[in-house]
Amino acid sequence: MVVCGHIGLTPQSSGQLGGHKAQGRTAESAQDLVEDALAIESAGAQLLLLEAVPPEVAGFIARRLVIPVYSIAQARSATGSC
């Protein structure tokens, strides 16, 4: 079974995240995304999906992880984008 992690804008949490908008736009929230990405990889996910994450943050995460990182909406710095 392949496990895919998903961070950034998660529709089920959009109300708690301030609506449907890009995540990781402040240094603090970008650091939170990096920590989440590392934890997801450590937990055994085989790939990571970033949604509405700025390109700089997505690129940083993609360079830090061994697993492929794919991006939806905004980032072209990941392993792939949709």
Side-chain angles (χ1 to χ4, degrees), residues 34-60:
V34 171
E35 290 171 6
D36 288 347
L38 292 168
I40 287 169
E41 181 179 58
S42 292
Q46 285 86 21
L47 62 111
L48 177 65
L49 178 64
L50 303 176
E51 187 167 346
V53 173
E56 302 80 14
V57 178
F60 183 82

PDB file of all heavy atoms in Angstrom, residues 34-60:
ATOM      1  N   VAL A  34       7.502  22.562   7.152  1.00  0.00           N
ATOM      2  CA  VAL A  34       8.738  21.779   7.050  1.00  0.00           C
ATOM      3  C   VAL A  34       8.739  20.676   8.107  1.00  0.00           C
ATOM      4  O   VAL A  34       9.042  19.516   7.808  1.00  0.00           O
ATOM      5  CB  VAL A  34       9.984  22.683   7.183  1.00  0.00           C
ATOM      6  CG1 VAL A  34      11.257  21.853   7.292  1.00  0.00           C
ATOM      7  CG2 VAL A  34      10.075  23.644   5.994  1.00  0.00           C
ATOM      8  N   GLU A  35       8.391  21.030   9.330  1.00  0.00           N
ATOM      9  CA  GLU A  35       8.346  20.031  10.408  1.00  0.00           C
ATOM     10  C   GLU A  35       7.310  18.946  10.116  1.00  0.00           C
ATOM     11  O   GLU A  35       7.568  17.764  10.344  1.00  0.00           O
ATOM     12  CB  GLU A  35       8.054  20.724  11.743  1.00  0.00           C
ATOM     13  CG  GLU A  35       9.218  21.564  12.221  1.00  0.00           C
ATOM     14  CD  GLU A  35       8.881  22.426  13.420  1.00  0.00           C
ATOM     15  OE1 GLU A  35       7.763  22.309  13.980  1.00  0.00           O
ATOM     16  OE2 GLU A  35       9.738  23.239  13.809  1.00  0.00           O
ATOM     17  N   ASP A  36       6.151  19.348   9.603  1.00  0.00           N
ATOM     18  CA  ASP A  36       5.124  18.363   9.239  1.00  0.00           C
ATOM     19  C   ASP A  36       5.626  17.435   8.135  1.00  0.00           C
ATOM     20  O   ASP A  36       5.409  16.221   8.189  1.00  0.00           O
ATOM     21  CB  ASP A  36       3.840  19.054   8.781  1.00  0.00           C
ATOM     22  CG  ASP A  36       3.072  19.716   9.909  1.00  0.00           C
ATOM     23  OD1 ASP A  36       3.387  19.453  11.095  1.00  0.00           O
ATOM     24  OD2 ASP A  36       2.160  20.507   9.604  1.00  0.00           O
ATOM     25  N   ALA A  37       6.288  17.998   7.138  1.00  0.00           N
ATOM     26  CA  ALA A  37       6.803  17.196   6.028  1.00  0.00           C
ATOM     27  C   ALA A  37       7.824  16.169   6.517  1.00  0.00           C
ATOM     28  O   ALA A  37       7.784  14.994   6.123  1.00  0.00           O
ATOM     29  CB  ALA A  37       7.427  18.106   4.969  1.00  0.00           C
ATOM     30  N   LEU A  38       8.731  16.595   7.375  1.00  0.00           N
ATOM     31  CA  LEU A  38       9.734  15.676   7.915  1.00  0.00           C
ATOM     32  C   LEU A  38       9.080  14.574   8.751  1.00  0.00           C
ATOM     33  O   LEU A  38       9.483  13.407   8.676  1.00  0.00           O
ATOM     34  CB  LEU A  38      10.760  16.448   8.745  1.00  0.00           C
ATOM     35  CG  LEU A  38      11.674  17.384   7.950  1.00  0.00           C
ATOM     36  CD1 LEU A  38      12.433  18.306   8.890  1.00  0.00           C
ATOM     37  CD2 LEU A  38      12.623  16.594   7.069  1.00  0.00           C
ATOM     38  N   ALA A  39       8.055  14.938   9.516  1.00  0.00           N
ATOM     39  CA  ALA A  39       7.351  13.945  10.334  1.00  0.00           C
ATOM     40  C   ALA A  39       6.612  12.940   9.458  1.00  0.00           C
ATOM     41  O   ALA A  39       6.611  11.734   9.749  1.00  0.00           O
ATOM     42  CB  ALA A  39       6.378  14.644  11.286  1.00  0.00           C
ATOM     43  N   ILE A  40       6.010  13.413   8.380  1.00  0.00           N
ATOM     44  CA  ILE A  40       5.289  12.516   7.466  1.00  0.00           C
ATOM     45  C   ILE A  40       6.261  11.545   6.810  1.00  0.00           C
ATOM     46  O   ILE A  40       5.984  10.344   6.716  1.00  0.00           O
ATOM     47  CB  ILE A  40       4.509  13.334   6.416  1.00  0.00           C
ATOM     48  CG1 ILE A  40       3.299  13.990   7.096  1.00  0.00           C
ATOM     49  CG2 ILE A  40       4.081  12.479   5.232  1.00  0.00           C
ATOM     50  CD1 ILE A  40       2.600  15.037   6.249  1.00  0.00           C
ATOM     51  N   GLU A  41       7.405  12.044   6.392  1.00  0.00           N
ATOM     52  CA  GLU A  41       8.412  11.153   5.800  1.00  0.00           C
ATOM     53  C   GLU A  41       8.892  10.141   6.833  1.00  0.00           C
ATOM     54  O   GLU A  41       8.995   8.942   6.537  1.00  0.00           O
ATOM     55  CB  GLU A  41       9.585  11.959   5.245  1.00  0.00           C
ATOM     56  CG  GLU A  41      10.635  11.090   4.597  1.00  0.00           C
ATOM     57  CD  GLU A  41      11.776  11.897   4.031  1.00  0.00           C
ATOM     58  OE1 GLU A  41      12.422  12.649   4.799  1.00  0.00           O
ATOM     59  OE2 GLU A  41      12.037  11.760   2.828  1.00  0.00           O
ATOM     60  N   SER A  42       9.160  10.593   8.047  1.00  0.00           N
ATOM     61  CA  SER A  42       9.625   9.697   9.109  1.00  0.00           C
ATOM     62  C   SER A  42       8.592   8.636   9.461  1.00  0.00           C
ATOM     63  O   SER A  42       8.940   7.523   9.857  1.00  0.00           O
ATOM     64  CB  SER A  42       9.955  10.491  10.372  1.00  0.00           C
ATOM     65  OG  SER A  42      11.080  11.293  10.167  1.00  0.00           O
ATOM     66  N   ALA A  43       7.309   8.975   9.292  1.00  0.00           N
ATOM     67  CA  ALA A  43       6.233   8.042   9.600  1.00  0.00           C
ATOM     68  C   ALA A  43       6.077   6.972   8.526  1.00  0.00           C
ATOM     69  O   ALA A  43       5.341   6.013   8.718  1.00  0.00           O
ATOM     70  CB  ALA A  43       4.923   8.791   9.785  1.00  0.00           C
ATOM     71  N   GLY A  44       6.773   7.138   7.390  1.00  0.00           N
ATOM     72  CA  GLY A  44       6.751   6.098   6.374  1.00  0.00           C
ATOM     73  C   GLY A  44       6.013   6.401   5.089  1.00  0.00           C
ATOM     74  O   GLY A  44       5.850   5.510   4.248  1.00  0.00           O
ATOM     75  N   ALA A  45       5.555   7.625   4.904  1.00  0.00           N
ATOM     76  CA  ALA A  45       4.875   7.968   3.648  1.00  0.00           C
ATOM     77  C   ALA A  45       5.839   7.799   2.476  1.00  0.00           C
ATOM     78  O   ALA A  45       7.040   8.051   2.600  1.00  0.00           O
ATOM     79  CB  ALA A  45       4.354   9.395   3.691  1.00  0.00           C
ATOM     80  N   GLN A  46       5.305   7.376   1.341  1.00  0.00           N
ATOM     81  CA  GLN A  46       6.130   7.187   0.147  1.00  0.00           C
ATOM     82  C   GLN A  46       6.162   8.415  -0.756  1.00  0.00           C
ATOM     83  O   GLN A  46       6.995   8.508  -1.649  1.00  0.00           O
ATOM     84  CB  GLN A  46       5.637   5.986  -0.668  1.00  0.00           C
ATOM     85  CG  GLN A  46       6.003   4.660  -0.057  1.00  0.00           C
ATOM     86  CD  GLN A  46       4.984   4.190   0.968  1.00  0.00           C
ATOM     87  OE1 GLN A  46       3.837   4.604   0.980  1.00  0.00           O
ATOM     88  NE2 GLN A  46       5.409   3.329   1.864  1.00  0.00           N
ATOM     89  N   LEU A  47       5.259   9.367  -0.546  1.00  0.00           N
ATOM     90  CA  LEU A  47       5.274  10.624  -1.289  1.00  0.00           C
ATOM     91  C   LEU A  47       4.495  11.659  -0.505  1.00  0.00           C
ATOM     92  O   LEU A  47       3.756  11.335   0.423  1.00  0.00           O
ATOM     93  CB  LEU A  47       4.708  10.466  -2.704  1.00  0.00           C
ATOM     94  CG  LEU A  47       3.261  10.040  -2.841  1.00  0.00           C
ATOM     95  CD1 LEU A  47       2.436  11.195  -3.387  1.00  0.00           C
ATOM     96  CD2 LEU A  47       3.202   8.876  -3.827  1.00  0.00           C
ATOM     97  N   LEU A  48       4.687  12.922  -0.875  1.00  0.00           N
ATOM     98  CA  LEU A  48       4.051  14.022  -0.166  1.00  0.00           C
ATOM     99  C   LEU A  48       3.395  14.950  -1.173  1.00  0.00           C
ATOM    100  O   LEU A  48       4.003  15.310  -2.181  1.00  0.00           O
ATOM    101  CB  LEU A  48       5.077  14.795   0.665  1.00  0.00           C
ATOM    102  CG  LEU A  48       4.564  16.019   1.419  1.00  0.00           C
ATOM    103  CD1 LEU A  48       3.550  15.621   2.493  1.00  0.00           C
ATOM    104  CD2 LEU A  48       5.715  16.790   2.042  1.00  0.00           C
ATOM    105  N   LEU A  49       2.177  15.353  -0.889  1.00  0.00           N
ATOM    106  CA  LEU A  49       1.447  16.305  -1.708  1.00  0.00           C
ATOM    107  C   LEU A  49       1.362  17.621  -0.952  1.00  0.00           C
ATOM    108  O   LEU A  49       0.916  17.660   0.195  1.00  0.00           O
ATOM    109  CB  LEU A  49       0.039  15.777  -1.994  1.00  0.00           C
ATOM    110  CG  LEU A  49      -0.872  16.675  -2.802  1.00  0.00           C
ATOM    111  CD1 LEU A  49      -0.322  16.874  -4.213  1.00  0.00           C
ATOM    112  CD2 LEU A  49      -2.259  16.079  -2.863  1.00  0.00           C
ATOM    113  N   LEU A  50       1.821  18.697  -1.590  1.00  0.00           N
ATOM    114  CA  LEU A  50       1.716  20.036  -1.016  1.00  0.00           C
ATOM    115  C   LEU A  50       0.617  20.770  -1.764  1.00  0.00           C
ATOM    116  O   LEU A  50       0.589  20.747  -2.994  1.00  0.00           O
ATOM    117  CB  LEU A  50       3.028  20.808  -1.203  1.00  0.00           C
ATOM    118  CG  LEU A  50       4.293  20.193  -0.633  1.00  0.00           C
ATOM    119  CD1 LEU A  50       5.496  21.044  -1.000  1.00  0.00           C
ATOM    120  CD2 LEU A  50       4.179  20.046   0.868  1.00  0.00           C
ATOM    121  N   GLU A  51      -0.260  21.428  -1.044  1.00  0.00           N
ATOM    122  CA  GLU A  51      -1.337  22.166  -1.696  1.00  0.00           C
ATOM    123  C   GLU A  51      -1.284  23.624  -1.276  1.00  0.00           C
ATOM    124  O   GLU A  51      -1.298  23.938  -0.087  1.00  0.00           O
ATOM    125  CB  GLU A  51      -2.693  21.558  -1.340  1.00  0.00           C
ATOM    126  CG  GLU A  51      -3.830  22.169  -2.112  1.00  0.00           C
ATOM    127  CD  GLU A  51      -5.118  21.389  -2.007  1.00  0.00           C
ATOM    128  OE1 GLU A  51      -5.113  20.232  -1.552  1.00  0.00           O
ATOM    129  OE2 GLU A  51      -6.155  21.957  -2.390  1.00  0.00           O
ATOM    130  N   ALA A  52      -1.216  24.504  -2.268  1.00  0.00           N
ATOM    131  CA  ALA A  52      -1.188  25.955  -2.053  1.00  0.00           C
ATOM    132  C   ALA A  52      -0.068  26.370  -1.103  1.00  0.00           C
ATOM    133  O   ALA A  52      -0.272  27.076  -0.127  1.00  0.00           O
ATOM    134  CB  ALA A  52      -2.549  26.456  -1.560  1.00  0.00           C
ATOM    135  N   VAL A  53       1.136  25.929  -1.425  1.00  0.00           N
ATOM    136  CA  VAL A  53       2.338  26.260  -0.654  1.00  0.00           C
ATOM    137  C   VAL A  53       3.236  27.099  -1.559  1.00  0.00           C
ATOM    138  O   VAL A  53       3.450  26.738  -2.723  1.00  0.00           O
ATOM    139  CB  VAL A  53       3.069  24.976  -0.193  1.00  0.00           C
ATOM    140  CG1 VAL A  53       4.389  25.299   0.458  1.00  0.00           C
ATOM    141  CG2 VAL A  53       2.179  24.183   0.764  1.00  0.00           C
ATOM    142  N   PRO A  54       3.779  28.232  -1.080  1.00  0.00           N
ATOM    143  CA  PRO A  54       4.636  29.068  -1.918  1.00  0.00           C
ATOM    144  C   PRO A  54       5.815  28.278  -2.507  1.00  0.00           C
ATOM    145  O   PRO A  54       6.339  27.357  -1.868  1.00  0.00           O
ATOM    146  CB  PRO A  54       5.141  30.144  -0.949  1.00  0.00           C
ATOM    147  CG  PRO A  54       4.093  30.198   0.116  1.00  0.00           C
ATOM    148  CD  PRO A  54       3.606  28.779   0.261  1.00  0.00           C
ATOM    149  N   PRO A  55       6.234  28.639  -3.726  1.00  0.00           N
ATOM    150  CA  PRO A  55       7.304  27.900  -4.403  1.00  0.00           C
ATOM    151  C   PRO A  55       8.596  27.784  -3.594  1.00  0.00           C
ATOM    152  O   PRO A  55       9.245  26.742  -3.616  1.00  0.00           O
ATOM    153  CB  PRO A  55       7.549  28.696  -5.688  1.00  0.00           C
ATOM    154  CG  PRO A  55       6.308  29.481  -5.899  1.00  0.00           C
ATOM    155  CD  PRO A  55       5.710  29.720  -4.546  1.00  0.00           C
ATOM    156  N   GLU A  56       8.953  28.822  -2.876  1.00  0.00           N
ATOM    157  CA  GLU A  56      10.190  28.789  -2.086  1.00  0.00           C
ATOM    158  C   GLU A  56      10.114  27.745  -0.984  1.00  0.00           C
ATOM    159  O   GLU A  56      11.081  27.027  -0.723  1.00  0.00           O
ATOM    160  CB  GLU A  56      10.477  30.171  -1.467  1.00  0.00           C
ATOM    161  CG  GLU A  56      10.611  31.295  -2.460  1.00  0.00           C
ATOM    162  CD  GLU A  56       9.275  31.850  -2.954  1.00  0.00           C
ATOM    163  OE1 GLU A  56       8.219  31.556  -2.355  1.00  0.00           O
ATOM    164  OE2 GLU A  56       9.305  32.585  -3.955  1.00  0.00           O
ATOM    165  N   VAL A  57       8.968  27.667  -0.340  1.00  0.00           N
ATOM    166  CA  VAL A  57       8.779  26.694   0.747  1.00  0.00           C
ATOM    167  C   VAL A  57       8.717  25.286   0.173  1.00  0.00           C
ATOM    168  O   VAL A  57       9.343  24.360   0.696  1.00  0.00           O
ATOM    169  CB  VAL A  57       7.512  27.023   1.567  1.00  0.00           C
ATOM    170  CG1 VAL A  57       7.278  25.986   2.654  1.00  0.00           C
ATOM    171  CG2 VAL A  57       7.610  28.422   2.168  1.00  0.00           C
ATOM    172  N   ALA A  58       7.982  25.120  -0.926  1.00  0.00           N
ATOM    173  CA  ALA A  58       7.877  23.806  -1.561  1.00  0.00           C
ATOM    174  C   ALA A  58       9.245  23.314  -2.024  1.00  0.00           C
ATOM    175  O   ALA A  58       9.585  22.142  -1.840  1.00  0.00           O
ATOM    176  CB  ALA A  58       6.920  23.864  -2.743  1.00  0.00           C
ATOM    177  N   GLY A  59      10.036  24.191  -2.602  1.00  0.00           N
ATOM    178  CA  GLY A  59      11.378  23.813  -3.040  1.00  0.00           C
ATOM    179  C   GLY A  59      12.256  23.403  -1.878  1.00  0.00           C
ATOM    180  O   GLY A  59      13.013  22.428  -1.968  1.00  0.00           O
ATOM    181  N   PHE A  60      12.180  24.153  -0.784  1.00  0.00           N
ATOM    182  CA  PHE A  60      12.961  23.816   0.406  1.00  0.00           C
ATOM    183  C   PHE A  60      12.569  22.439   0.925  1.00  0.00           C
ATOM    184  O   PHE A  60      13.433  21.610   1.229  1.00  0.00           O
ATOM    185  CB  PHE A  60      12.754  24.882   1.484  1.00  0.00           C
ATOM    186  CG  PHE A  60      13.581  24.645   2.711  1.00  0.00           C
ATOM    187  CD1 PHE A  60      14.908  25.036   2.746  1.00  0.00           C
ATOM    188  CD2 PHE A  60      13.036  24.027   3.827  1.00  0.00           C
ATOM    189  CE1 PHE A  60      15.689  24.812   3.878  1.00  0.00           C
ATOM    190  CE2 PHE A  60      13.797  23.794   4.960  1.00  0.00           C
ATOM    191  CZ  PHE A  60      15.126  24.187   4.982  1.00  0.00           C
TER     192      PHE A  60
END
